[in-house]
Amino acid sequence: MLTKELVAASTEPLILSLLAEGESYGYALIQEVKRRSGDKIEWTDGMLYPVLHRMEREGWIQSRWGRAESGRKRKYYSLKSDGKKALQKQREQWVTVSRLFKRLWKEQYV
Amino acid sequence: MSDFNLEQAIARWRRQLTDAGLKSPEALDELEDHLRDEIERQLQSGATPRTAFETAAARMGEAPGLKAEFAKLNRTNAGRQRFLRAFYFGAVAFIALVNTWTLVAFETGPMEKAVGFPALSLVVLHLACLPHLLGSLSGRPYWRLVKAIKLASSLLWLWPTLALLQAVNLVNLQMGMIPSMILWYLCAAQGLSVVAYALHDLSRRDGGSGGPLPPFQLQPQPVPPTWPTPPEFGISIPAPQQFAPHAREALTAASEEAARLGHDFIGTEHVLLGVLKLAHGAFERVLAGLHLEPALVRVEIERFVPAQPAQAAAGTIPYTPRARKALRLAAREAKKLKQPRIGAEHIFLGLLLEGSGVAGRVLRKLGVNSVTLRAEIADRLRETQTG
């Protein structure tokens, strides 16, 4: 539904924003994005995990192995301070674009 | 009918990923956890263990960790590529030099020179262009040609064997210098062709499309919705059994309307359309009492909401928050009127009371107000009750 480029561009800020709300793990992130976008954005695991691992390498997020309710081992990710800064920067960029659209499209609902 | 063992299937799946190149146990654990979460989800919606596993595995598609692993591999590939490329062109230059020197320095007749130089130039040119040629020859029609070249060139290895045998005096071949030189060129060309193919393979894998693919490549299967049960945004809608059968059908019709209009949400307007479509019985009389023509209402709605090209609904379509609110209001109204179940007329009232959605605005524009509507519903109710 969304173009590949849009999905790719929005993945990092979305992950950062979700993790800003609290620790989470891969599967839950995918479900949450799907839910909150009204099923419009469906991430695949093939897309998500490489991005998560890359963000971890950049030092934006950190991971720990915890236990799920079922008792299984589960990898949880949380936001680091560098990640918070990155989120701020990306937010500013999206707001810039979004404001411009609002001005251009003020005739219709955005 | 064989028994399906879930744990064994998962273990097999994990082994296949390892075989396909994903060796990191951490990455495998993370993916397995994801798979198990998806399997649980499938099991909860009533799938058998076998179906749950197959759907979950198919949903996961191309293993993600593999891409990351190949990304890391490609970094070393680049180094290897550079080395091979340098070696290749260095070798070509070396051959050109040595053979030119041979032709020049040795006592060769003009005839031999005339043959030698062109032959040398041809071979050098061929070798220099080979990597590029391989790129343009990768298409399907050429694979036979490529195979033929490979076969012919492998016969070339006979020559060094013979030369070796000659050197140890087992065989005695009288060959001029030029023919034997040409044969040596061809052997070197064969050897370098192999290097060129290796280079080509490496650069193809870098592009990403040529790497070995993991086993599960099926299309993800959409879960067919029965009752449109969308994800919970915050406020929940009443459960299916709280609605009267015709109201339930109206809501299913609403999701169909949404799909038909090419929208991927069920808004108040779709609920209104659904309710109008299946208007019968009490609700029909309410509408008649309000002098509302369903067709007219429909026209008004479509004026507000432009239709887009109809898309097949991928999975469940969610209700908008306003639609949810309208349905909750419908439940409240039904309770107020002491009705055991929510009927289409209550939904209609709920849409009006919600007010700010498209349905609410359309209804108000058409002059419906909640007081008269409530009165109308109550009247019809009394009618049916008194017989």
Side-chain angles (χ1 to χ4, degrees), chain B residues 319-336:
Chain B
Y319 286 102
T320 60
R322 290 207 182 99
R324 292 163 173 270
K325 186 168 172 203
L327 290 174
R328 304 250 302 178
L329 288 170
R332 199 188 66 184
E333 291 300 317
K335 203 188 276 185
K336 269 206 244 173

Side-chain angles (χ1 to χ4, degrees), chain B residues 4-19 28 32 35-36 39 53 216:
Chain B
F4 177 75
N5 187 321
L6 185 61
E7 291 304 315
Q8 276 179 9
I10 295 182
R12 250 198 320 260
W13 171 89
R14 199 180 160 118
R15 261 201 307 277
Q16 279 175 304
L17 280 184
T18 315
D19 288 340
L28 282 167
E32 188 182 319
L35 180 75
R36 285 179 188 270
I39 290 177
F53 170 77
F216 299 97

Side-chain angles (χ1 to χ4, degrees), chain A residues 1 25 27 30-31 34-36 38-40 45-46 49-50 53 65 72-75 77 109, chain B residues 26 29-31 33-34 36-38 40-41 59-60 62 64 231-233 264-265 316 318 361:
Chain A
M1 229 228 91
Y25 57 102
Y27 191 78
I30 294 177
Q31 298 308 314
K34 182 165 180 244
R35 187 183 80 97
R36 297 217 211 175
D39 271 1
K40 289 188 197 175
D45 63 312
Y49 288 108
H53 297 157
W65 282 96
R72 254 188 282 139
K73 267 203 325 175
R74 180 173 278 166
K75 199 171 185 189
Y77 294 91
Y109 278 124
Chain B
E26 273 213 7
D29 281 339
E30 196 172 15
L31 290 179
D33 183 50
H34 185 116
R36 285 179 188 270
D37 277 330
E38 183 64 42
E40 248 180 62
R41 196 149 166 263
R59 271 229 155 110
M60 286 186 73
E62 191 166 326
E232 302 301 309
F233 280 116
D264 24 47
F265 52 85
T316 59
R361 280 183 276 135

Side-chain angles (χ1 to χ4, degrees), chain B residues 242-264:
Chain B
Q242 289 181 263
F243 289 92
H246 67 270
R248 248 178 280 153
E249 282 170 280
L251 287 178
T252 314
S255 67
E256 282 162 21
E257 284 295 321
R260 194 187 61 85
L261 284 170
H263 302 147
D264 24 47

Side-chain angles (χ1 to χ4, degrees), chain B residues 335-346:
Chain B
K335 203 188 276 185
K336 269 206 244 173
L337 288 168
K338 300 216 183 15
Q339 294 301 292
R341 299 217 270 201
I342 310 171
E345 60 275 12
H346 305 117

